[in-house]
Each structure stands twice: as structure tokens, then as C-alpha cells.
Amino acid sequence: MRTAVITIAAGRHPHLLVQQDGLARSSRAPDHYVVVSMADPAIQDVVADRNPAADVISLPLEGGRLPLAAARNAGAARALAAGADLLVFLDVDCVPGSSLLDGYARAAQDGALLCGTVAYLPPPPAHGYPLDDLAGMAPPHPARPAPATGHVVRGGDPRLFWSLSFALTASTWNRIGGFCEDYTGYGAEDTDYASCAARLGVDLWWVGGAPAYHQHHPTQHPPVQHVDDIIRNGALYRARWGTWPMEGWLHDFEERGLVRYVPATDTWCRR
């Protein structure tokens, strides 16, 4: 099974390098490593002359916003054109565990959307993360299933799908049809993708033995820097599916006086 790893990136160069180092330690080497640069020409030099070799694609911003959906689609298209049988998507912040690719390959079946565990790492020690001992630094995220190695939990809730780490066969990718590129900027494109998969009868499987480790970086809770993207993309999701995603964040924004809900039209808008 020819396996491609696809990562989309804008900035976060140190995180990308650690991911590349993690892939170099993988018990199963990727056959193709596609990095999609979103308006970041420096990425080509960042990953050059390192193992595994990176095939870099460049995309511009879309209306000044990161084209997350389009970037994943572009990465998948490049991998499929090169003969990939299995597509593995990793967030730029995620370091693959040594068994991640093998775990996904063992579980892969047409008609399944595979999600491995993700652990959120603390800040790195002075000399960087010990890539051979990441499992000892943080447990898997408690809000998602974490099956043991070799086990698969089928029938997962598509609302829990995350794009940090997931995989699917080429046939399943083609069946779902890729991410909706109407979404730009932060939020909801992955929720939309999982909804598309569920509507088409693609089952969500939680895969044991395919761990990824999310590198620490400063963040805001809720992500107030993305409030406009979340309102815009949330409205697009509602138009497509009839419900609002990311409601927890929207209510948090409301408590901070950033947005308001209009019941008569079932809309959220800036204050």
C-alpha cells in the first residue's frame, strides 16, 4: 500500500521540522511526503535536503485568508497523481508516533474514515522534544476514544472528527469528494467534511496504535483571533447542513460581548 503523508502549513517552521524528524523515525517510511505551503515561500527551503524528502506545493491566500480546505485538496491531488493508495493527513503541529503510519495502514479499508489518537504535549524541554519518548509526556486527548494498539472502535460520532490526524484510502477520498473549498480561514471545514462522509455512509473509525503528538504553542481559548472566520464559516455550514457548528465557541464569544445571536433568523453576528 503506497502511503502519502499530507501536511498544510503557513509559518510554524520549527514544528514542521520536528514533524519531518518524526516521520524519519517512523517504523514505516512514507512513500510520499507532500507539504502544501499557504502563502509561505520559505517552506521550500525549510524542508529541503532532509529526510523524508518533501514535495512542496504553494498556494496563495484566498481573500486574505488561509485556504485550509483547498490546501488539503491540493495535497491529496498531488499524492493521488503519484499513485497513493492511502492518504494520511497530519496537522503541521503534529509529530507522528513511530507506529502511526503502520497503524493506519493496518486499519485501512475502503469506506472508513480513520482517526488516530492525539496527545497535547507540554512546552518542550530545553533541548527539544524527545521524539522516542513522546508517549510518556502526555496522555491522549480525553474527549476522544483512545483504543489500545491493534484495536479499532467503529461507528464513531462524526462530530468528533478532527483534521489533526486522519487517514483514508484513495477510493474513500474520491467517494467523499474532498473538502468544500467555500470554507476559507479558520473553522468548520473539517466538520463539513465529516458530515459529507457520514451522509455518504463512510464510517468513522478510531484507530489504536496510530498516535500523533501535538506540539505546544501559545493559543487563546476561545480563539478570539478567529471570531470573524468562525462566524462566516459557521454560517456557511448552517446553510449547507441546517445547524451551527462550533456553538461552544460562539457562546463563549457571546459572553465576552464579541458576538450576538439573533433568534428570529438563527444567525450569529458581530456586536
Side-chain angles (χ1 to χ4, degrees), residues 149-235:
T149 298
H151 291 263
V152 174
V153 175
R154 306 187 183 200
D157 184 345
R159 293 172 297 180
L160 295 180
F161 170 78
W162 52 14
S163 53
L164 292 173
S165 172
F166 73 98
L168 69 175
T169 63
S171 173
T172 306
W173 172 268
N174 290 329
R175 176 176 167 183
I176 298 171
F179 285 76
C180 175
E181 296 186 9
D182 293 338
Y183 294 92
T184 57
Y186 184 85
E189 85 289 342
D190 50 357
T191 307
D192 183 281
Y193 188 74
S195 295
C196 289
R199 181 180 61 188
L200 293 167
V202 174
D203 198 15
L204 179 62
W205 294 3
W206 294 97
V207 179
Y213 302 91
H214 187 279
Q215 300 171 72
H216 181 270
H217 59 78
T219 188
Q220 292 180 279
H221 295 284
V224 295
Q225 73 274 28
H226 298 303
V227 62
D228 292 318
D229 286 350
I230 288 171
I231 292 173
R232 184 187 60 258
N233 286 340

Side-chain angles (χ1 to χ4, degrees), residues 226-248:
H226 298 303
V227 62
D228 292 318
D229 286 350
I230 288 171
I231 292 173
R232 184 187 60 258
N233 286 340
L236 173 59
Y237 184 92
R238 181 193 176 279
R240 284 168 58 83
W241 299 100
T243 61
W244 279 88
M246 304 176 287
E247 285 190 299

